[in-house]
Amino acid sequence: MSELNNIALKILSNGKGILAADESTGTMTKRLNDVKVPSTPENRLLFRETLFSSEAMKTCIGGVILYDETIKQNSSSKKTIPELISLSGAIPGIKVDTGAKKLALSNDETITEGLDGLRDRLKEYYDLGARFTKWRGVFKISIKNKLPSIESINANAHALGRYSALVQEAKMVPVVEPEVLMDGEHDIQTCYQVTKMVLKETFNQLSNSNVKLDGIILKPNMILPGSNSSKKVTNEEVAQQTLKCLKENVPIEVPGIAFLSGGQTEIEATKNLNLINKHNDSKFIMSYSYGRALQKSALKFWSNDIKNIKGTQNTFNHRAKMSSLAAQGKWSEEIETK
Ligand code: 13P
């Protein structure tokens, strides 16, 4: 088994998943403003360090994705943040894209940037303790404007291929995140078809770049109707369509899939993941790489009582435990509310 395959499996095995705490300073400022906490480097660190020192880190979290600011900060115990994460047994990771910028000559679509100078930045992050990385390509659905366009799919998939090759060369596992957004009025079938096109081109580009598929983690969206769709579906249907799409479009060599939550509530994201795992007859591990669906309640609790570290950690521990049970198909409403 290759070293990269070992890392991918260590992150996702035994009901563990990824804590996506890699919000850029801009996004984190928005999240903190929403709960009326000033977005200072100290407050951003305090909230994140609170999560990284919680009990759930040992049992439910196999990897943490950090942002550039955080990977260079020290904890209150004077350890570096990657050291603090490693102490719990989890693996430190780092977001290496520099964000989604306007795609030239496009109708409101984006291309994710960050390839220039990436080889040097990867070396720096490896030396700081990172063993895996993340890059997010964003695909918007609009029936009216015929989006996503071929240009956006090709350009973003190409970037994911080049990024993944550089990351493997640097001896880290690339988390490959092609996110088809939930925004819009489209139905679940449209999400299925778009996700299928995006996955096909992404793996085509990974193959063109000679990426070893047993040394990546795929971070996709679930197959969902748009958040403003008039056609609501059951969680059962989400699980079935998600499984079908991934089984048909993800090469068998990929060891693990870790879903993003993408704006689903914490409970929806948990329920859907649980059903996916109840029906999972593929060889893929199906777990989580949640940002909001792991942190929302904890952030709310913390913002109301910023000194209450234990209470914040208990809130996070519960959410992480529920996600971990869902990653094993063992979650239920009764356990959620017990
Ligand atoms: P959400 O789970 O909040 O979608 O965040 C995951 C992520 O890392 C987005 O890039």
Side-chain angles (χ1 to χ4, degrees), residues 100-103 106-111 136-150 152-153 156 178-186 190-191 194-195 197-198 221 226:
K101 311 285 161 57
K102 187 181 184 303
L103 180 67
S106 79
N107 186 357
D108 204 22
E109 293 188 287
T110 59
I111 173 70
R136 172 175 175 258
V138 188
F139 304 91
K140 195 179 287 186
I141 296 182
S142 166
I143 307 274
K144 190 169 121 233
N145 295 322
K146 298 196 172 55
L147 304 184
S149 66
I150 296 295
S152 138
I153 295 177
N156 278 294
E179 177 175 8
V180 177
L181 294 175
M182 257 174 90
D183 307 340
E185 297 172 357
H186 54 275
T190 305
C191 177
V194 170
T195 304
M197 273 196 300
V198 165
N221 50 285

Side-chain angles (χ1 to χ4, degrees), residues 192 195-196 199 223 241-249:
Y192 185 103
T195 304
K196 174 178 167 173
L199 288 174
I223 305 298
Q241 294 293 324
T242 302
L243 262 178
K244 182 168 155 33
C245 190
L246 295 172
K247 281 196 314 195
E248 288 177 7
N249 299 293

Side-chain angles (χ1 to χ4, degrees), residues 55-71:
E55 230 4 76
M57 287 290 299
K58 295 184 191 141
T59 46
C60 308
I61 304 296
V64 180
I65 316 176
L66 300 167
Y67 182 59
D68 181 75
E69 174 184 67
T70 324
I71 199 169

Side-chain angles (χ1 to χ4, degrees), residues 12-287:
L12 298 181
S13 294
N14 304 320
K16 289 189 180 182
I18 299 173
L19 167 59
D22 61 319
E23 298 86 358
S24 64
T25 301
T27 303
M28 195 59 187
T29 298
K30 192 170 159 302
R31 302 259 190 278
L32 290 172
N33 286 346
D34 285 348
V35 293
K36 313 224 165 354
V37 174
S39 181
T40 60
E42 295 72 28
N43 280 343
R44 293 193 288 272
L45 176 63
L46 178 59
F47 178 66
R48 286 165 164 161
E49 188 183 343
T50 301
L51 303 188
F52 303 161
S53 355
S54 66
E55 230 4 76
M57 287 290 299
K58 295 184 191 141
T59 46
C60 308
I61 304 296
V64 180
I65 316 176
L66 300 167
Y67 182 59
D68 181 75
E69 174 184 67
T70 324
I71 199 169
K72 295 171 178 165
Q73 284 172 318
N74 284 330
S75 70
S76 48
S77 59
K78 302 282 176 276
K79 290 185 178 48
T80 69
I81 291 296
E83 281 167 354
L84 177 67
I85 291 168
S86 301
L87 266 182
S88 68
I91 299 181
I94 179 77
K95 183 227 294 286
V96 301
D97 68 64
T98 54
K101 311 285 161 57
K102 187 181 184 303
L103 180 67
L105 302 181
S106 79
N107 186 357
D108 204 22
E109 293 188 287
T110 59
I111 173 70
T112 300
E113 294 188 348
L115 289 170
D116 288 352
L118 181 55
R119 184 178 268 125
D120 293 339
R121 287 195 294 124
L122 290 173
K123 178 160 182 358
E124 185 192 0
Y125 290 138
Y126 187 95
D127 291 343
L128 287 167
R131 291 296 177 266
F132 76 105
T133 66
K134 183 193 103 168
W135 181 289
R136 172 175 175 258
V138 188
F139 304 91
K140 195 179 287 186
I141 296 182
S142 166
I143 307 274
K144 190 169 121 233
N145 295 322
K146 298 196 172 55
L147 304 184
S149 66
I150 296 295
E151 295 83 347
S152 138
I153 295 177
N154 288 350
N156 278 294
H158 180 251
L160 281 166
R162 283 192 57 202
Y163 142 80
S164 299
L166 281 160
V167 171
Q168 289 194 336
E169 184 187 87
K171 305 201 178 332
M172 292 185 276
V173 169
V175 171
V176 176
E177 182 179 7
E179 177 175 8
V180 177
L181 294 175
M182 257 174 90
D183 307 340
E185 297 172 357
H186 54 275
D187 60 13
I188 191 168
Q189 275 317 316
T190 305
C191 177
Y192 185 103
Q193 290 305 333
V194 170
T195 304
K196 174 178 167 173
M197 273 196 300
V198 165
L199 288 174
K200 274 197 178 307
E201 188 53 27
T202 299
F203 283 106
N204 181 32
Q205 292 291 344
L206 260 56
S207 160
N208 288 348
S209 293
N210 301 315
V211 172
K212 299 210 172 29
L213 294 183
D214 70 346
I216 73 159
I217 292 173
L218 178 68
K219 175 164 175 166
N221 50 285
M222 293 180 191
I223 305 298
L224 298 160
S227 41
N228 292 323
S229 174
S230 54
K231 296 191 197 149
K232 299 293 172 216
V233 299
T234 60
N235 298 104
E236 197 53 59
E237 194 168 344
V238 169
Q240 295 290 2
Q241 294 293 324
T242 302
L243 262 178
K244 182 168 155 33
C245 190
L246 295 172
K247 281 196 314 195
E248 288 177 7
N249 299 293
V250 179
I252 197 79
E253 294 86 351
V254 173
I257 293 176
F259 293 99
L260 57 97
S261 60
Q264 299 178 77
T265 64
E266 289 168 319
I267 300 293
E268 284 293 298
T270 308
K271 217 183 240 183
N272 287 333
L273 180 62
N274 187 56
L275 284 171
I276 288 169
N277 277 293
K278 269 192 184 306
H279 299 303
N280 187 8
D281 54 356
S282 74
K283 69 164 272 298
F284 303 125
I285 298 175
M286 301 268 191
S287 188

